[in-house]
Amino acid sequence: MDTLPNVALAGGLAWASGIRLYATIFVAGMLGRLGYVHLPDGLLPLTDTWVLAVSGALMLCEFLADKVPAFDSAWDAVHTFIRIPIGTLLAWGVFKDSGAGTQLAAALLGGALVAGTHFTKAGTRALINTSPEPFSNWGASVGEDVSWLGGMYLMWQHPLVLLILLGLFVLLMCWMLPRIVRGLRALRRLGSTLSGSSAQPR
């Protein structure tokens, strides 16, 4: 087993799943089916016709939903229960033929990475959606698309570069998440204040 490419594959799939889950499954499965990339045995189910059909349809839904302000946050909220377990499963699948300890480590690290990526994306978009104009939301969505494409390319072509960038992303994520949480709490307090003011008799 080539350790570096497989670590990059597990980390890249987990990270990408936190941004575009269905696109990640579809692209990885299609590239594996066409023989452009080698998938470990644990990821071969991604090449199944039904998996490709379902993930392809959901990929289109995901792309459209992510471009609609406010609805994208509802989509993210629902997918908290989908992206994290599936992203964890993908990271585990890379090391399916390894020892139990390696599999568990891959699942733990993959789960932490996909969860952090998902919550960073969802929290950032929730804050952006407070703006009345849609352009900042569209810009953020397109930026995510470009980042996702770049990550998928590096995952197979330059795994070491991807791992370095993932390390930097984790540091950025650790810096951003507390600030995102504080921003969301401030918005909640502001909403409660405004609701209380409007409820007072005049």
Side-chain angles (χ1 to χ4, degrees):
M1 175 183 291
D2 297 324
T3 303
L4 179 62
N6 280 285
V7 171
L9 181 60
L13 289 175
W15 169 82
S17 296
I19 300 176
R20 299 284 184 266
L21 172 63
Y22 303 116
T24 299
I25 293 174
F26 178 80
V27 170
M30 184 60 72
L31 291 177
R33 179 159 180 165
L34 296 176
Y36 290 117
V37 300
H38 170 73
L39 294 178
D41 291 345
L43 296 181
L44 289 181
L46 300 184
T47 65
D48 181 80
T49 300
W50 279 107
V51 174
L52 290 172
V54 173
S55 63
L58 290 173
M59 175 181 67
L60 179 60
C61 295
E62 184 176 53
F63 178 82
L64 296 175
D66 200 69
K67 302 297 184 290
V68 181
F71 184 75
D72 64 325
S73 290
W75 180 273
D76 284 338
V78 171
H79 280 78
T80 299
F81 307 99
I82 302 175
R83 287 176 184 155
I84 295 175
I86 298 299
T88 302
L89 186 61
L90 291 175
W92 173 85
V94 175
F95 295 95
K96 180 178 179 292
D97 295 328
S98 302
T102 303
Q103 295 171 22
L104 179 58
L108 290 173
L109 292 174
L113 184 55
V114 65
T117 304
H118 166 72
F119 286 122
T120 300
K121 165 188 159 56
T124 301
R125 297 295 288 277
L127 291 174
I128 290 175
N129 283 334
T130 59
S131 174
E133 45 77 30
F135 302 107
S136 54
N137 180 282
W138 295 340
S141 181
V142 171
E144 290 167 4
D145 291 334
V146 173
S147 299
W148 176 84
L149 283 171
M152 294 292 283
Y153 170 79
L154 292 174
M155 183 172 66
W156 277 297
Q157 299 300 320
H158 303 284
L160 180 58
V161 175
L162 176 69
L163 288 175
I164 292 172
L165 291 177
L166 283 180
L168 295 175
F169 172 76
V170 169
L171 294 177
L172 177 63
M173 185 172 63
C174 292
W175 179 82
M176 286 184 63
L177 278 175
R179 288 161 175 78
I180 291 172
V181 171
R182 286 198 293 269
L184 293 174
R185 286 176 176 172
L187 285 175
R188 182 179 298 177
R189 287 196 297 269
L190 178 61
S192 299
T193 302
L194 294 176
S195 299
S197 299
S198 62
Q200 290 179 357
R202 297 181 180 180

